Amino acid sequence: MTDMLTQAGANYGFFFDQEICTGCKACQIACKDKHDLPVGVNWRRVVEYSGGSWQQSGNVVTPNIFTYYTSIACNHCEDAICMTVCPTTAMSRRDDGTVYVDPGKCVGCRYCEWACAYGAPQFNAEVGQMTKCDLCYDYREQGQDPACVEACPSRALDWGPIDVLRAEYGTEDATAPLPDPAVTKPRLVIKPHRNAQPWDSATGTIANPKEI
């Protein structure tokens, strides 16, 4: 959506097509490279979720298993809990609805990190402050897509005003292993994988916890 320059009241968010994501992590790498993030700080992460079992009936063994990927960054939530708990108002919202960290106010207390169910705010020890995705504000100002969207080889990511994304792609915003969307009302739309599990099903496990 390169024609969508930053607008007041746009309430930007992300769309993610879980069905076509291959887990290549190009989005994660592009984000890390663009923002020159240190080891251990990843504003976008790709989660592999797996589960199921093999069922045997006589001599026949049938697989009933699933694996799919979820690329996740800050969802610029309507009820952004990171902003609620920040004691210095460093967690701020732009006129376009995106949430960012004001480095002039952040003291690195990490309250936002502990409160966010998506793990979006991350502590950068090199600067002693919290950092997070701001939906590539500088790129958007120049008419470019966010780095993660631009890098995805399967075009599983999109961005834009959340109302536009919901009109085009639907309103699903919670599949496992993501949390209950009612907590923060994320500006996120997901096209679920064919084997996607409900957010509260606990039918699988995260296969790559050390990476995220």
Side-chain angles (χ1 to χ4, degrees):
M1 294 191 176
T2 53
D3 59 331
M4 292 187 178
L5 299 180
T6 301
Q7 311 167 16
N11 292 332
Y12 289 131
F14 282 112
F15 164 74
F16 172 63
D17 190 335
Q18 206 170 52
E19 181 68 41
I20 63 176
C21 177
T22 63
C24 72
K25 301 183 179 67
C27 57
Q28 179 176 317
I29 295 169
C31 174
K32 196 173 185 73
D33 180 63
K34 189 263 180 184
H35 298 285
D36 195 24
L37 302 178
V39 174
V41 177
N42 296 302
W43 294 356
R44 179 168 286 280
R45 288 146 292 135
V46 178
V47 184
E48 181 181 352
Y49 193 67
S50 304
S53 62
W54 294 81
Q55 299 175 341
Q56 183 169 357
S57 177
N59 294 324
V60 179
V61 179
T62 305
N64 183 25
I65 57 177
F66 62 85
T67 294
Y68 57 86
Y69 301 96
T70 301
S71 177
I72 193 74
C74 177
N75 296 308
H76 306 282
C77 304
E78 292 177 30
D79 294 337
I81 195 169
C82 59
M83 293 178 63
T84 302
V85 302
C86 180
T88 66
T89 69
M91 281 291 174
S92 305
R93 193 186 296 277
R94 290 192 170 97
D95 289 343
D96 64 9
T98 56
V99 179
Y100 72 102
V101 183
D102 184 339
K105 296 180 180 179
C106 181
V107 296
C109 68
R110 306 182 78 158
Y111 287 177
C112 56
E113 177 186 5
W114 300 327
C116 177
Y118 297 94
Q122 301 203 357
F123 183 70
N124 185 336
E126 293 184 0
V127 296
Q129 292 182 321
M130 303 308 301
T131 61
K132 61 178 288 299
C133 159
D134 67 353
L135 222 157
C136 283
Y137 178 74
D138 55 345
Y139 273 17
R140 292 185 287 113
E141 283 285 277
Q142 300 168 26
Q144 293 180 247
D145 289 331
C148 58
V149 175
E150 197 170 62
C152 179
S154 57
R155 296 296 178 258
L157 286 168
D158 199 357
W159 72 283
I162 192 62
D163 290 344
V164 174
L165 295 178
R166 287 169 179 158
E168 183 173 353
Y169 300 114
T171 59
E172 180 64 65
D173 58 4
T175 59
L178 299 182
D180 182 358
V183 176
T184 62
K185 299 179 182 176
R187 291 189 176 126
L188 171 69
V189 176
I190 298 173
K191 180 180 179 182
H193 188 273
R194 60 187 178 279
N195 295 322
Q197 306 294 298
W199 72 266
D200 57 351
S201 65
T203 52
T205 57
I206 293 175
N208 59 335
K210 291 184 179 181
E211 293 182 14
I212 60 171

